[in-house]
Amino acid sequence: MSLPLLYLVVRASAAGRSAWNWLLRAQTLQIMGQSVGLALAVMLAALILGVLLAWLVSRTDLPGRSIWSALLPLPLVIPSYVGAYLFVSFFAPRGLLQNLLEGWLGIERLPSVYGFWGAWLVLTLMTYPYIFLAARAVFSRGDRSQEEAARSLGCSPLETFWRVTLPQLRPALAASSLLVGLYVLRDFGAVSILRFTTFTRAIYLQYQSSIDRSAAALLSLVLILVTVGFLIAEQRIRRSAAENPHTAVHPAEVIRLGGWQVAALGVVFLILLFGLIFPTGVLFYWLIRGLLAGERIANWLGPLLGSVSSAGLAAMVTVVFAFPVSVLSVRRSNWLSQILERWSYIGYAVPGIVVALALVFFGANFVPGLYQTLFMLLFAYVILFLPQAMGSIQSSLRMVQRSLEEAAASLGENPLRVFQRVTLPLITPGVASAAAVVFLTTMKELPATLLLAPTGFSTLATQVWGAVSEAYFARAAAPALILILASSISMFLINHHATLSGSSQRQ
């Protein structure tokens, strides 16, 4: 986890005394404001959407809520750069929508979709499932007795939610919001396609346009400092909330929406329309158009095997490395374990392009035999996605009551045997969910794969980006669709784990 940071320090030191002047210039401050502003705006929108949708499918009599509960997390399987390219191809000036409106209504030009609002909309639709999954898990194991006690003391439904339900949600929302914020800060594909300059796009342009990498390294260090600020804020929120690992004694009562059912269904359908149905429809349009133009789906079998094999290995290796940090932070919490836990999040915040170039520098200068090998690519994946695996494993560990482990220890079992025979079986669904999340994210990873993949090694993500960067939307449709379908396997496992967890909590 320290290698990218060491690389940035070495590169940034080359700027010398001019570093402060460069960092304090108006353009750098503007990039910082745009990056933080976009991250906060997406976090707020994702929080509102995620909590509202989770409450509707978990705590109300919304018709078909089990179906909506399965469909709402699916935008996670769509890479941000795929969502952005579909958005641009349809809504941009001279896009599909304008061509339709020009023929029907004579409209010759639509407003621009590029910039902040386009990036905000696409990233919100791609990230709200992080909040939704976390909030749904908490809602599903809510204890009715606490809310009933608040109501008996004269609290209104809104006051009950604010004073009783929200504190239970706060730890999960803090962790999931952190993932959303970090996702936005390190996103490269969507902001590049939508032409909104954040840290990642500025860093990439600096690397591409300049031989001197000092400026890009300075930007990357600023991004790390911004990430540390997000981590400190999340830690304070979590510390102020009492985490309750116990199961619900009295499952929460289902709330009847009455006449609001139509409005609730409208909200759910609108989110699914823009987050899932619309991207899928546009993707199939470009797929059919590509097939009619002679594109062959069979050409993507090799990239599919490359994506699945690298993502599967990354999932296994990352879970192995996430175990010790997760166990230390939950079961042996002290200043050292907290430092290790927080340090692990740094790599996730650093753009993939920076991690890749740091490992290129490291491999070329110190271990040339590992340069452009699958080992180096897996190394980058572990640095980038370790926090995702840690989050799921830590949540599962917190759900295991300490009394079970203490009972096994009192019967003479040593700590290793207690973990092996008691703790590990109970957290196995969480471990599977961690592996599924890492698999899903690795399938979509682009910058690190572009720079570190072995010669001749191709993935679906690199194929999609190569076609989109040249505006061959039809050529990008087939690998994009296959990428989404393959990633859906991970989403099924995540949903299955959430269902099992909810069932075990009710039992």
Side-chain angles (χ1 to χ4, degrees):
M1 308 303 292
S2 302
L3 280 177
L5 185 60
L6 292 174
Y7 166 77
L8 294 177
V9 171
V10 171
R11 283 294 188 184
S13 62
R17 297 180 178 178
S18 62
W20 284 109
N21 295 331
W22 196 91
L23 288 175
L24 294 177
R25 64 176 186 167
Q27 185 178 359
T28 304
L29 297 177
Q30 180 183 3
I31 293 172
M32 180 185 298
Q34 291 180 171
S35 300
V36 175
L38 180 63
L40 293 176
V42 172
M43 288 171 65
L44 178 60
L47 269 173
I48 295 173
L49 285 180
V51 173
L52 174 61
L53 295 172
W55 180 77
L56 287 174
V57 302
S58 301
R59 302 289 292 274
T60 72
D61 62 344
L62 183 74
R65 57 179 183 166
S66 60
I67 298 175
W68 307 129
S69 182
L71 292 177
L72 285 169
L74 290 181
L76 273 181
V77 306
I78 304 177
S80 62
Y81 48 89
V82 173
Y85 114 72
L86 294 173
F87 184 81
V88 167
S89 69
F90 189 82
F91 289 107
R94 309 310 305 173
L96 296 177
L97 179 60
Q98 181 179 322
N99 291 336
L100 291 175
L101 295 178
E102 187 174 1
W104 294 346
L105 303 176
I107 298 177
E108 297 182 355
R109 187 169 183 83
L110 292 175
S112 176
V113 298
Y114 297 101
F116 174 84
W117 292 110
W120 170 80
L121 178 59
V122 170
L123 290 172
T124 298
L125 292 173
M126 299 297 107
T127 58
Y128 82 83
Y130 286 113
I131 311 292
F132 172 81
L133 291 170
R136 186 183 65 179
V138 177
F139 278 132
S140 65
R141 59 176 184 264
D143 195 339
R144 181 177 61 195
S145 60
Q146 298 183 29
E147 297 181 357
E148 290 177 346
R151 295 296 301 276
S152 68
L153 294 173
C155 292
S156 66
L158 182 60
E159 289 176 328
T160 300
F161 178 83
W162 188 261
R163 301 179 65 179
V164 177
T165 308
L166 188 59
Q168 296 175 358
L169 284 169
R170 196 177 301 165
L173 295 184
S176 55
S177 298
L178 172 65
L179 286 178
V180 171
L182 294 179
Y183 183 102
V184 175
L185 285 174
R186 65 186 298 276
D187 178 75
F188 166 73
V191 294
S192 296
I193 293 174
L194 291 162
R195 304 174 189 173
F196 183 70
T197 300
T198 59
F199 277 116
T200 50
R201 186 166 185 246
I203 292 168
Y204 179 77
L205 293 176
Q206 284 289 337
Y207 273 116
Q208 289 289 99
S209 62
S210 176
I211 298 177
D212 183 10
R213 305 290 168 81
S214 301
L218 288 169
L219 280 176
S220 300
L221 287 175
V222 175
L223 176 55
I224 291 178
L225 293 177
V226 172
T227 302
V228 170
F230 274 73
L231 292 171
I232 293 174
E234 184 269 344
Q235 185 180 28
R236 290 183 176 179
I237 293 174
R238 181 185 295 181
R239 185 177 299 169
S240 65
E243 295 182 275
N244 183 11
H246 301 294
T247 60
V249 179
H250 305 287
E253 185 178 3
V254 174
I255 299 174
R256 300 193 178 279
L257 294 174
W260 289 97
Q261 279 190 350
V262 176
L265 283 172
V267 171
V268 173
F269 180 77
L270 188 64
I271 298 302
L272 285 175
L273 176 65
F274 283 97
L276 184 63
I277 299 173
F278 160 74
T280 304
V282 176
L283 188 58
F284 272 104
Y285 167 82
W286 286 115
L287 175 64
I288 294 173
R289 184 168 174 176
L291 292 175
L292 294 176
E295 296 290 340
R296 297 178 56 191
I297 298 180
N299 293 337
W300 309 111
L301 180 59
L304 171 62
L305 294 176
S307 293
V308 172
S309 61
S310 59
L313 288 172
M316 290 188 293
V317 174
T318 305
V319 166
V320 169
F321 277 94
F323 246 108
V325 182
S326 300
V327 173
L328 281 175
S329 64
V330 176
R331 290 292 187 256
R332 298 288 186 271
S333 181
N334 53 43
W335 65 270
L336 178 59
S337 64
Q338 290 178 5
I339 291 176
L340 290 174
E341 180 188 11
R342 297 304 166 191
W343 193 263
S344 300
Y345 279 91
I346 297 298
Y348 182 69
V350 178
I353 183 71
V354 177
V355 172
L357 288 171
L359 294 183
V360 167
F361 175 81
F362 174 73
N365 289 275
F366 300 101
V367 283
L370 297 179
Y371 180 65
Q372 284 193 327
T373 63
L374 186 59
F375 175 87
M376 194 66 75
L377 182 60
L378 292 177
F379 196 175
Y381 289 153
V382 171
I383 293 175
L384 291 170
F385 306 131
L386 187 68
Q388 292 184 334
M390 286 171 50
S392 183
I393 295 174
Q394 287 173 331
S395 297
S396 297
L397 283 170
R398 292 190 181 101
M399 294 301 299
V400 178
Q401 297 186 25
R402 297 294 294 269
S403 58
L404 297 175
E405 298 171 330
E406 292 169 355
S410 67
L411 295 175
E413 295 286 3
N414 60 53
L416 182 59
R417 291 283 291 174
V418 170
F419 183 83
Q420 183 180 23
R421 299 186 61 182
V422 178
T423 309
L424 187 58
L426 292 174
I427 66 173
T428 297
V431 175
S433 179
V437 171
V438 174
F439 180 90
L440 171 65
T441 314
T442 305
M443 288 283 292
K444 301 186 292 183
E445 171 58 29
L446 179 65
T449 309
L450 281 173
L451 291 182
L452 293 173
T455 303
F457 185 83
S458 181
T459 66
L460 294 170
T462 58
Q463 292 293 321
V464 171
W465 181 257
V468 171
S469 61
E470 298 177 5
Y472 293 136
F473 294 150
R475 183 179 299 175
L481 181 61
I482 297 173
L483 174 60
I484 291 173
L485 292 176
S487 301
S488 299
I489 299 174
S490 292
M491 184 52 60
F492 170 79
L493 293 175
I494 296 170
N495 268 326
H496 184 61
H497 165 245
T499 303
L500 289 178
S501 298
S503 299
S504 62
Q505 293 299 325
R506 289 190 294 269
Q507 295 171 2

